[in-house]
Amino acid sequence: NLLRAMLAHKGIEAHLVLLDTRGMGRIERSSPAWLQFNHVILAVGSGAEGYLFCDPTVERLPAGSVGMHDLARDVLIVKQGRAEWVHTPDTLDSSIRIRADLALAPDGGLSGWLTFGGTGSDAAYYATYFHGLDRDERLRRMQEYAGEFFPGAAVMDIDYSPPSNAVREMSIRAYLVRPPRAADEQIITFPFPAAWLPAANTSGERRFPYTTSRREETATVTITLPENWTARTIPAPFSATSEIAHFTARWSVQP
């Protein structure tokens, strides 16, 4: 409401928008009680020209953007003396991107940089999150990530520059070292832990039997092999599609 008043002071008309971010099923339009909503954002513009939605509660999100939990929702725009039902955009504007550029030593040790990044809503969230940590806390968090993707790895250093304002993308990287492993464990599995899979939770009755946020997650890893080494075998490409997600994975060998 404060932002609505500030825009009005500049001659820009904006309206309060009621919505439910929990994905609890359809909204009952015939009797839109306040219990059906848990959040308020803004709609700038008019219905004839389309609305620009804005969520000022998400830190570091650029103006005119909304969080991932605001997307693809039936919302109620509150205007002077009346209300209007509309649907927020159904767009995929958020992603988490993991990248590792590593070198494999002849003794089986791994070392190199692991980069954690995000775009859209995820960039805003993680930029705010890491900005609130000191260097030691950031190092510990990146140690957790490194251990999930490359079990046994230790983070030696981190590289991070906190953003000073709104962001559309962010990244933080850590230099990791994984010591040599036993001869019978010289296998590098695809680095994507089960903990990072979509959380398809259930909670009572709704239109779909799950609630999860729309985002794209990618893990891209390059491993430089010792001189005259090559991969003996690589897994076949993998692809699977479910009602809530699409997964692909593949290895490739290059000179």
Side-chain angles (χ1 to χ4, degrees):
N1 197 40
L2 174 61
L3 179 58
R4 185 199 60 77
M6 293 169 68
L7 290 172
H9 183 69
K10 291 293 186 179
I12 301 172
E13 186 179 24
H15 312 285
L16 299 180
V17 180
L18 306 180
L19 76 158
D20 173 39
T21 64
R22 298 163 295 186
M24 297 298 292
R26 71 184 180 89
I27 298 295
E28 181 52 61
R29 295 192 177 199
S30 62
S31 57
W34 65 270
L35 283 170
Q36 297 187 73
F37 308 104
N38 73 334
H39 192 35
V40 181
I41 60 175
L42 282 186
V44 180
S46 66
E49 302 170 353
Y51 292 107
L52 178 67
F53 294 96
C54 182
D55 189 342
T57 69
V58 184
E59 271 190 78
R60 302 187 182 278
L61 201 62
S65 302
V66 296
M68 67 177 75
H69 301 296
D70 302 335
L71 296 171
R73 308 287 182 181
D74 289 325
V75 301
L76 189 64
I77 298 181
V78 181
K79 294 185 175 181
Q80 293 80 2
R82 65 186 181 90
E84 178 184 352
W85 286 104
V86 299
H87 198 70
T88 56
D90 185 9
T91 57
L92 180 62
D93 78 330
S94 189
S95 70
I96 291 177
R97 304 191 185 281
I98 307 296
R99 180 172 183 85
D101 295 286
L102 308 175
L104 180 67
D107 63 4
L110 274 178
S111 61
W113 289 97
L114 172 69
T115 301
F116 174 86
T119 65
S121 299
D122 280 310
Y125 172 80
Y126 284 103
T128 300
Y129 173 74
F130 280 106
H131 183 74
L133 305 180
D134 61 28
R135 188 181 185 283
D136 289 341
E137 291 170 330
R138 292 170 188 154
L139 194 148
R140 283 194 294 270
R141 187 56 174 154
M142 291 303 292
Q143 173 63 65
E144 293 176 7
Y145 290 166
E148 290 174 338
F149 283 83
F150 300 96
V155 169
M156 302 289 104
D157 195 11
I158 58 172
D159 178 24
Y160 179 63
S161 298
S164 58
N165 45 34
V167 298
R168 294 193 180 276
E169 58 182 61
M170 64 77 61
S171 65
I172 179 174
R173 65 175 189 160
Y175 191 85
L176 65 84
V177 174
R178 192 184 76 176
R181 315 190 78 176
D184 60 348
E185 296 180 345
Q186 293 289 4
I187 295 175
I188 299 175
T189 59
F190 197 88
F192 204 85
W196 285 68
L197 295 175
N201 301 321
T202 59
S203 176
E205 295 183 1
R206 60 167 56 83
R207 187 179 304 170
F208 302 108
Y210 53 81
T211 172
T212 188
S213 303
R214 289 196 62 190
R215 67 153 57 94
E216 180 184 63
E217 299 180 357
T218 61
T220 305
V221 178
T222 300
I223 300 175
T224 302
L225 301 179
E227 187 176 2
N228 299 322
W229 279 38
T230 188
R232 180 183 300 173
T233 59
I234 60 173
F238 170 81
S239 180
T241 299
S242 73
E243 191 178 3
I244 65 166
H246 178 65
F247 307 91
T248 61
R250 67 182 178 88
W251 284 107
S252 64
V253 179
Q254 302 174 8

